[in-house]
Amino acid sequence: MDNKVTPVYEHNVILKEGFPCFVHYSENPQGMSPHYHPQIEIMYFYEAENVEFYCMNKTFHMNAGDMVLSNPFQIHACADFKNAHICCIIISSAVTQEFSGILLPNVIRDTEVRKYFDEIKRAHSETKKISDLYAVGAAYGLIGYLYKTYAPKQIEQRETKKYAASAEAIQKALQYIDEHVTENLTLGEIASAVYLSESRFGHLFKSITGITPVDYIEIVRLSNAQKMLKETKQPITEIAIDCGYDNISYFIHRFKLKTGTTPGKYRSIHTIK
């Protein structure tokens, strides 16, 4: 059987060399599967009504004027944007390196932030080079405002080097899970791979990503299963095995619990005719 493993790590965040941010404005964004990346991602909703955004193992209900922020390595997703109008900024890790370890709130409802996103919207009407300058200025202004307003005490008390080492270990653990997700992984095995005790690893993993290692393994497995159900004609039993489940009944149970439907019904709904 051909294992088709899709890591949850987001490889498509391409920041132009020497450019400190990636900016995207959309009036009809596609849904996002659960994923993570080492950069801060900030999303402002110009138009939205009760959009469910998942981050840090919580579901937030977003409406017009709300802003959602995913700190580095926090698993986040949005299955359906419901035709929302959004502006998304991803800030280069180099820009926020000095503030490593400072976690900003995931949801911010603050009328002050809109002016920064309005600058980015205006940039779309300018020539490319001018557009880039507008975007950089707005991104720096926004991230500076957020740190100053929402994390002053963290900035005073931060332990940057300690957090950086922890984040590096968790990044390696995430990559290890992505590479071995079809195997019978144990917490002890993953902890050993990043040279941490099992208890320390479990604590660090949840504090940085917002979920447990077991939760993350299931996210990857079920994301792979969803992709394979949509894109292949493999029997469901084979898909379950290829995604790391050796018990088909348990796979169907977990799939339905997380998606609200069975693998067979999911395939019939999402297969392109």
Side-chain angles (χ1 to χ4, degrees):
M1 283 177 247
D2 180 21
N3 289 357
K4 299 189 177 184
V5 177
T6 305
V8 173
Y9 179 77
E10 177 57 76
H11 292 280
N12 296 324
V13 179
I14 301 174
L15 299 173
K16 192 165 58 179
E17 186 175 355
F19 201 67
C21 64
F22 166 86
V23 177
H24 176 66
Y25 177 75
S26 176
E27 295 185 356
N28 188 23
Q30 295 182 343
M32 299 188 306
S33 298
H35 66 285
Y36 70 91
H37 36 71
Q39 302 91 0
I40 289 177
E41 179 176 334
I42 308 169
M43 191 176 296
Y44 183 81
F45 290 80
Y46 275 99
E47 292 185 21
E49 185 175 352
N50 201 32
V51 173
E52 293 187 350
F53 194 96
Y54 169 91
C55 185
M56 290 293 284
N57 210 23
K58 297 178 182 177
T59 299
F60 302 101
H61 295 269
M62 311 304 294
N63 293 290
D66 293 346
M67 190 192 88
V68 65
L69 182 149
S70 303
N71 290 288
F73 304 110
Q74 291 182 346
I75 314 297
H76 55 285
C78 183
D80 185 0
F81 280 96
K82 301 180 180 178
N83 297 314
H85 293 190
I86 65 164
C87 184
C88 178
I89 305 174
I90 297 177
I91 309 291
S92 167
S93 301
V95 173
T96 58
Q97 185 174 8
E98 184 179 347
F99 303 100
S100 177
I102 297 170
L103 303 181
L104 292 165
N106 291 119
V107 174
I108 292 174
R109 295 180 170 98
D110 182 343
T111 56
E112 188 69 18
V113 303
R114 174 162 180 159
K115 67 182 182 182
Y116 299 104
F117 291 96
D118 285 345
E119 284 292 318
I120 292 168
K121 279 189 72 176
R122 278 195 287 272
H124 280 261
S125 63
E126 303 290 345
T127 60
K128 180 59 180 170
K129 289 185 178 180
I130 298 298
S131 172
D132 286 351
L133 290 174
Y134 267 125
V136 171
Y140 271 99
L142 174 62
I143 199 68
Y145 173 78
L146 294 176
Y147 279 127
K148 178 181 178 181
T149 307
Y150 294 96
K153 290 185 179 180
Q154 288 189 66
I155 291 173
E156 291 177 4
Q157 300 169 0
R158 72 187 185 277
E159 296 183 56
T160 303
K161 290 183 179 179
K162 185 177 179 180
Y163 175 85
S166 299
E168 183 180 359
I170 297 308
Q171 181 177 15
K172 289 179 180 177
L174 288 163
Q175 291 169 344
Y176 184 88
I177 293 171
D178 289 344
E179 292 168 2
H180 299 272
V181 73
T182 61
E183 303 169 15
N184 186 23
L185 286 170
T186 66
L187 193 62
E189 175 189 345
I190 304 166
S192 295
V194 293
Y195 307 104
L196 291 172
S197 70
E198 190 171 323
S199 59
R200 177 64 175 160
F201 168 66
H203 172 75
L204 279 181
F205 193 97
K206 187 167 185 178
S207 67
I208 290 175
T209 69
I211 60 176
T212 67
V214 172
D215 289 335
Y216 180 69
I217 290 169
E218 184 165 73
I219 285 173
V220 179
R221 286 175 173 171
L222 293 180
S223 292
N224 289 337
Q226 288 173 292
K227 180 179 175 64
M228 295 169 74
L229 286 166
K230 288 190 289 186
E231 298 180 2
T232 77
K233 294 182 179 180
Q234 269 189 275
I236 291 172
T237 301
E238 290 185 7
I239 289 176
I241 294 170
D242 284 354
C243 291
Y245 293 91
D246 55 11
N247 184 310
I248 184 64
S249 297
Y250 182 73
F251 166 68
I252 293 172
H253 169 71
R254 297 305 298 176
F255 191 95
K256 186 175 182 180
L257 186 66
K258 295 297 183 180
T259 66
T261 189
T262 64
K265 288 182 180 178
Y266 182 90
R267 169 173 270 169
S268 65
I269 293 169
H270 293 279
T271 299
I272 300 174
K273 304 295 183 181

